[in-house]
Amino acid sequence: MRSFVKRRVRSSIALTMTLLLAIAAVPSGTMDAAAADPNQNNKQNVPTFSNVSVHDPSIVKDGDTYYVYGSHISAAKSKDLTNWTSFANGYTTPRNTLYGDLSKNLAGSFAWAGENDADSKGGFSVWAPDVFWNEHYVNKDGSKGAYMIYYSASSTYIRSAIGIAVAPNIEGPYQYVDTIVNTGFTKETAFDKESKVDKKWTNTPISQLINEGKLKGPRAGWFNADGSYANRVFPNAIDAAVFYDTDGRLWMTYGSWSGGIFLLELDKATGKPIYPGQDGTTEDGRLIDRYFGTKIAGGYGESGEGPYIEYNSKTGYYYLYVTYGGLAADGGYNMRLFRSKSPAGPYKDAKGQNAVLPANTKNVAYGNKLMGNFLFDSKIGDPGTGVGYGYVSPGHNSVYTDPATGQMFVVFHTRFPQQGETHELRVHQMFMNQEDWPVVAPYRYGGETLTKLDEKQFIGDYQYINHGSDSSATVKNTQFIQLRADHTIKGDVQGTWRKSGDANVQLTLDGAVYDGVFLRQWDQVTNQYILAFTVLSNKGEMAWGSKLPDMTDTTVVDSVYRELDLGDTSRVTGNLTLPKEGSRQSSITWKTSDPGVISDTGEIKRPGIGEKAVSATLTATITKGDSSRDKAFNITVAPYEKATLTASYPFENNLKDQNDAFANGKVIGDRIDRQGGSISYAEGVRGQAVVLDGQSGIALPEGLISSSAYSVSLWVKPSELTVHTPTFFGAMDSNHWVSLLPRGPEKDNTMVWSGSSTWYTGSTGRKIKANEWTHLAFTVDHGVLEVYVNGKIQFTGSGFPDVFTSKAGTFSLGVNWWDPAFNGSMDELSIFEGALPPAQVEELAQMK
């Protein structure tokens, strides 16, 4: 398929209307400047943004500067919440920006959770800190006041520890004080894989607490019947967040998946927990543990992490934010919200449900969903360029409320559609709706404030997103709705609307009542101010609207006509994806002049090797209401060309290129840049095959591929299937690579994956089997990717990145720079110049 990509901005008519809307939508106090010079689009008020990557950000303000601290020792600062500068230096040690001699300073926590241990090897051991100024803290010299950082050290999904360190200055360096919560311990001696830490509970500070009389011994319930840690009931010591209640008491909430989110009171003078000391239950039946504290959310292994609690003086509620799902791009990370009149709970959602889950209950129906995967996708004829505006796996947020203005901000990290694991910090403003629930502005904060709006401004066409209540990785795409003058809502969803204050609005959609606000925001996709709304339903679902410029049906059709483009159609080698819908639900229908060349749905019939190219005309009919217009495209379908074998590695007890065009392969360790490793040989598909042990790989010669048309063919027999593990891997650098995965991140299917500055997923929709020979091949023909399994095409797509533009590429088998190494056998690796025709691939897939 050759997919359609938006390439052009609006025409002069639409641009004029866009500028008029931008003038009308300038924030209060700036109208005079905009009116004086409308062609400048009010440049002096156009927000600027400087982006940083801070995972799991926790926000704190010191003087006139905002700070965020995140996982893996990341930190950044800003004066305005829009322009950020990083200042931490990651896992550097010594001379670590935040911790000085990191290894030595945090040794007290690493003794339990490990600095480079078990699952956290390679620099993934310090997570999710929270920083605050504690005026009551008593320093070693007797003085009072210090910045305190509550960090997490972790080696596995349950063996973790929360430690505290202090500094006189917010940017550190912070000096270790103590480790205050340990999790993942066992009843008797036990060790995690690749770890020397004895997990027996007596090796934690719990023993000292018992000796001091603060605990009455270990709790039997901490352990399963086999002596392992009862992680479905008790927490993982990670993601600490500290807050004061209205009585001036200091609290810490923490926890990640596992048994749920917990709460401990802290001693203000030391910053250490006041452990309950004995077990019990709250009045509403929630668990109180002698060591871990009070359970306030989650449980039973259901996802839920990154807790953050903030009190709002206007509503009198404590608001508990948590994140569900997995943090990766395919994990469905999404933010949830509960509230309580008491810091210790019970916390409840808009439906009145307790945040602590009952046993054997999925969490998706619990908690107001603030934000999940979404995309305001730019349809043909919409303003702007590119795929549109959206987030993937947004979450692990903190919250800041300005004490002077009352403005509320939610601060989180997010990934982005089609960009893989690349993540950045984002700040969105929040507003309290009339039900005392925060609603999140659709666009990132750009200095906007709520202003009084006229009801007539609400009338018009909108892009609409409903975040729903699921935790899936599915991206919520734009729907189309109209808010009409008669207060009805038409389009993809139906209902009514009414203005209920200066900027407040209430929508009734499909039987649910949504309450929120309208505001003017800056849209970075269209580079203009737009009118948007954010509303929350009585079922706890967040919905957003983004207003489109006013247009007649004829103007919409003309706009779609001008922007509709199929790219270069002078040499088509793959099926075309023909768009069926344009801006504002305009329809696009297609008609071919010759079905023998290309069908009405874009499927081509490609001539064979040696035959001539063939041509036909595709005509698009664009319709909205009574307006219609045709646009024709000349399509030339190129014939197949025979691919030329350039390298062949049959693995006959050696790593030699049988073509003698390239150097021999070289045995390496479990990453491209690691030495070591060992291989063996065994019976293969034809003769011998190379066997990799999961700790080794093969470095192939540079320059193996150096064009935009090539093919890769090989046989694989995995002993185990692990996500992201490559068979064939090629890269120009760490941001431009191609990987053939037996088990990919998309539903565990076999796929070709490319990234990471622009990510591409070529999923076969199939799962190959372990301990069984499978033939895999893929071809690339100037951006058209085809992926084969056992000689049959399983994926065809266009827009594949042109990675190998020179002869300096790095190539390997079984390893890359990041992921687990391949365990199993490979045979008959063949590299071709040009894209293999299906018949050649089918021939290569024959067993003998």
Side-chain angles (χ1 to χ4, degrees):
M1 292 173 287
R2 183 188 296 263
S3 60
F4 175 83
V5 178
K6 284 175 65 70
R7 293 179 175 85
R8 292 193 290 268
V9 295
R10 310 291 293 129
S11 64
S12 58
I13 296 175
L15 182 58
T16 300
M17 300 183 75
T18 296
L19 290 172
L20 291 172
L21 180 66
I23 295 166
V26 172
S28 62
T30 62
M31 184 62 73
D32 291 343
D37 190 5
N39 292 323
Q40 294 300 307
N41 198 22
N42 199 21
K43 287 183 179 179
Q44 67 270 32
N45 290 289
V46 171
T48 60
F49 302 95
S50 299
N51 299 320
V52 291
S53 294
V54 178
H55 213 270
D56 310 327
S58 178
I59 188 168
V60 60
K61 191 176 185 183
D62 178 60
D64 65 350
T65 304
Y66 301 92
Y67 288 85
V68 289
Y69 294 84
S71 289
H72 311 312
I73 317 179
S74 59
K77 56 186 176 180
S78 171
K79 298 285 188 181
D80 56 10
L81 294 174
T82 61
N83 294 280
W84 293 89
T85 302
S86 296
F87 66 90
N89 59 351
Y91 284 97
T92 300
T93 187
R95 295 182 295 279
N96 188 277
T97 302
L98 297 186
Y99 298 105
D101 189 335
L102 172 68
S103 301
K104 183 177 179 181
N105 191 16
L106 303 190
S109 296
F110 291 151
W112 175 253
E115 183 180 5
N116 191 28
D117 183 63
D119 297 339
S120 297
K121 289 184 178 294
F124 295 97
S125 56
V126 182
W127 293 78
D130 190 36
V131 174
F132 82 109
W133 170 256
N134 184 354
E135 61 180 326
H136 305 285
Y137 182 79
V138 179
N139 296 287
K140 289 181 179 180
D141 63 3
S143 62
K144 287 188 176 182
Y147 279 99
M148 304 192 71
I149 188 166
Y150 286 70
Y151 64 87
S152 302
S154 185
S155 286
T156 72
Y157 68 103
I158 53 175
R159 179 161 55 89
S160 306
I162 294 173
I164 54 177
V166 297
N169 301 308
I170 191 168
E171 294 188 22
Y174 288 82
Q175 185 61 42
Y176 175 79
V177 173
D178 201 359
T179 299
I180 57 174
V181 182
N182 293 60
T183 57
F185 45 79
T186 55
K187 190 173 183 179
E188 303 295 343
T189 293
F191 297 88
D192 289 318
K193 183 180 179 182
E194 298 187 36
S195 174
K196 296 180 180 179
V197 175
D198 184 347
K199 298 191 295 180
K200 187 175 181 180
W201 72 270
T202 53
N203 293 316
T204 73
I206 292 175
S207 294
Q208 182 179 346
L209 293 173
I210 294 171
N211 293 336
E212 294 172 353
K214 294 179 180 179
L215 299 180
K216 294 182 179 181
R219 180 176 183 166
W222 288 343
F223 310 106
N224 295 314
D226 62 358
S228 61
Y229 180 66
N231 66 295
R232 289 179 61 81
V233 177
F234 298 99
N236 182 23
I238 197 170
D239 299 351
V242 180
F243 68 99
Y244 287 97
D245 68 12
T246 56
D247 296 324
R249 297 165 70 185
L250 187 62
W251 301 85
M252 180 184 77
T253 181
Y254 70 100
S256 174
W257 288 53
S258 193
I261 307 299
F262 281 70
L263 184 79
L264 279 167
E265 186 174 359
L266 302 179
D267 182 314
K268 291 191 288 187
T270 65
K272 299 179 183 181
I274 303 172
Y275 301 102
Q278 58 185 4
D279 304 329
T281 57
T282 62
E283 291 183 1
D284 59 303
R286 291 175 292 120
L287 171 70
I288 299 175
D289 180 74
R290 66 187 72 181
Y291 176 61
F292 296 121
T294 302
K295 183 176 288 191
I296 60 172
Y300 300 102
E302 284 294 296
S303 65
E305 62 185 22
Y308 199 89
I309 294 175
E310 187 188 57
Y311 177 75
N312 186 282
S313 60
K314 291 185 178 180
T315 67
Y317 283 106
Y318 295 87
Y319 292 89
L320 167 64
Y321 298 82
V322 295
T323 299
Y324 290 176
L327 60 83
D330 61 346
Y333 226 38
N334 65 99
M335 293 178 280
R336 303 284 175 141
L337 179 63
F338 303 85
R339 70 186 182 190
S340 173
K341 287 292 186 178
S342 167
Y347 286 88
K348 297 184 178 182
D349 62 15
K351 292 186 283 188
Q353 300 175 127
N354 198 314
V356 175
L357 296 173
N360 303 314
T361 302
K362 295 297 182 183
N363 62 5
V364 292
Y366 290 75
N368 300 353
K369 186 178 179 183
L370 297 185
M371 188 188 304
N373 293 1
F374 74 92
L375 177 64
F376 279 111
D377 49 322
S378 292
K379 292 183 171 59
I380 304 165
D382 284 342
T385 60
V387 299
Y389 155 67
Y391 295 157
V392 169
S393 289
H396 198 125
N397 70 282
S398 56
V399 173
Y400 179 78
T401 299
D402 189 300
T405 66
Q407 285 180 290
M408 300 184 299
F409 302 95
V410 60
V411 182
F412 57 97
H413 71 254
T414 186
R415 290 159 173 80
F416 305 94
Q418 301 180 23
Q419 294 185 42
E421 300 305 323
T422 299
H423 61 84
E424 291 178 350
L425 175 75
R426 285 295 181 268
V427 179
H428 283 229
Q429 193 168 182
M430 294 192 297
F431 306 92
M432 204 66 72
N433 74 6
Q434 295 182 107
E435 301 299 321
D436 290 340
W437 285 111
V439 291
V440 180
Y443 294 89
R444 68 189 301 186
Y445 176 65
E448 70 275 355
T449 58
L450 284 185
T451 57
K452 186 175 181 178
L453 298 169
D454 189 281
E455 183 179 273
K456 292 180 181 179
Q457 293 175 272
F458 295 1
I459 299 168
D461 297 341
Y462 289 81
Q463 293 176 308
Y464 175 77
I465 295 283
N466 189 315
H467 288 276
S469 61
D470 63 291
S471 288
S472 75
T474 301
V475 175
K476 302 289 192 300
N477 285 315
T478 302
Q479 294 179 290
F480 175 78
I481 63 171
Q482 292 178 318
L483 270 61
R484 297 189 171 184
D486 63 359
H487 293 92
T488 61
I489 299 173
K490 302 296 182 182
D492 290 324
V493 292
Q494 310 285 318
T496 60
W497 67 274
R498 68 180 182 89
K499 187 172 181 286
S500 54
D502 287 348
N504 294 89
V505 66
Q506 190 176 90
L507 311 181
T508 302
L509 299 169
D510 297 332
V513 178
Y514 293 77
D515 187 82
V517 299
F518 266 90
L519 71 156
R520 299 181 177 103
Q521 287 198 278
W522 181 257
D523 176 10
Q524 284 188 276
V525 172
T526 61
N527 289 319
Q528 64 181 14
Y529 285 101
I530 54 90
L531 193 63
F533 67 75
T534 173
V535 290
L536 183 78
S537 78
N538 51 2
K539 297 179 181 179
E541 297 180 357
M542 190 76 67
W544 293 342
S546 180
K547 193 178 183 185
L548 294 164
D550 294 334
M551 286 187 181
T552 64
D553 288 351
T554 298
T555 305
V556 171
V557 168
D558 288 345
S559 179
V560 175
Y561 176 90
R562 281 186 292 273
E563 195 169 321
L564 182 60
D565 186 13
L566 297 179
D568 183 5
T569 58
S570 63
R571 188 185 180 278
V572 176
T573 59
N575 296 336
L576 301 182
T577 297
L578 304 179
K580 298 179 181 179
E581 182 181 351
S583 181
R584 307 170 199 238
Q585 294 185 313
S586 56
S587 69
I588 307 173
T589 58
W590 297 85
K591 186 69 175 177
T592 181
S593 64
D594 188 345
V597 175
I598 187 169
S599 72
D600 292 340
T601 58
E603 295 179 2
I604 64 169
K605 294 184 179 179
R606 195 171 177 185
I609 297 172
E611 296 181 0
K612 293 183 178 180
V614 292
S615 298
T617 300
L618 269 180
T619 301
T621 300
I622 307 155
T623 305
K624 182 167 175 59
D626 295 329
S627 297
S628 183
R629 192 171 180 182
D630 291 341
K631 187 170 187 176
F633 297 88
N634 294 320
I635 311 296
T636 299
V637 179
Y640 283 108
E641 298 175 1
K642 187 173 183 179
T644 303
L645 181 68
T646 56
S648 174
Y649 292 87
F651 304 123
E652 297 303 321
N653 293 311
N654 59 53
L655 300 179
K656 179 179 172 59
D657 171 24
Q658 189 171 266
N659 264 23
D660 290 326
F662 290 93
N664 294 349
K666 178 183 176 182
V667 180
I668 55 177
D670 63 351
R671 299 290 189 273
I672 284 177
D673 51 1
R674 293 182 185 173
Q675 300 299 313
S678 65
I679 63 172
S680 58
Y681 296 90
E683 183 180 354
V685 175
R686 301 184 185 94
Q688 296 294 99
V690 66
V691 181
L692 301 176
D693 60 3
Q695 301 295 322
S696 311
I698 298 171
L700 297 170
E702 293 184 355
L704 202 58
I705 300 171
S706 58
S707 72
S708 55
Y710 57 91
S711 303
V712 176
S713 164
L714 78 163
W715 287 88
V716 298
K717 184 181 180 183
S719 297
E720 59 180 329
L721 293 164
T722 50
V723 180
H724 301 140
T725 292
T727 52
F728 177 85
F729 179 81
M732 297 306 297
D733 53 51
S734 60
N735 288 320
H736 303 84
W737 47 264
V738 176
S739 189
L740 177 59
L741 307 180
R743 181 184 175 189
E746 188 175 281
K747 299 180 180 179
D748 294 332
N749 290 325
T750 301
M751 61 188 285
V752 170
W753 202 22
S754 180
S756 59
S757 54
T758 299
W759 290 70
Y760 193 103
T761 301
S763 176
T764 63
R766 294 185 51 178
K767 302 177 179 67
I768 69 169
K769 296 179 180 180
N771 301 308
E772 182 177 297
W773 282 109
T774 302
H775 183 262
L776 300 178
F778 67 94
T779 69
V780 177
D781 190 352
H782 302 282
V784 176
L785 170 70
E786 293 184 341
V787 186
Y788 296 76
V789 177
N790 290 327
K792 304 298 181 183
I793 294 178
Q794 302 298 325
F795 174 85
T796 303
S798 64
F800 192 72
D802 188 6
V803 174
F804 305 114
T805 56
S806 73
K807 294 186 177 181
T810 298
F811 299 90
S812 61
L813 291 176
V815 294
N816 56 27
W817 284 296
W818 316 281
D819 301 303
F822 180 83
N823 188 343
S825 302
M826 297 188 198
D827 200 8
E828 301 295 329
L829 170 67
S830 299
I831 309 295
F832 295 83
E833 175 78 21
L836 286 165
Q840 273 190 274
V841 177
E842 189 171 2
E843 184 178 337
L844 290 168
Q846 302 302 312
M847 288 291 291
K848 299 293 183 182

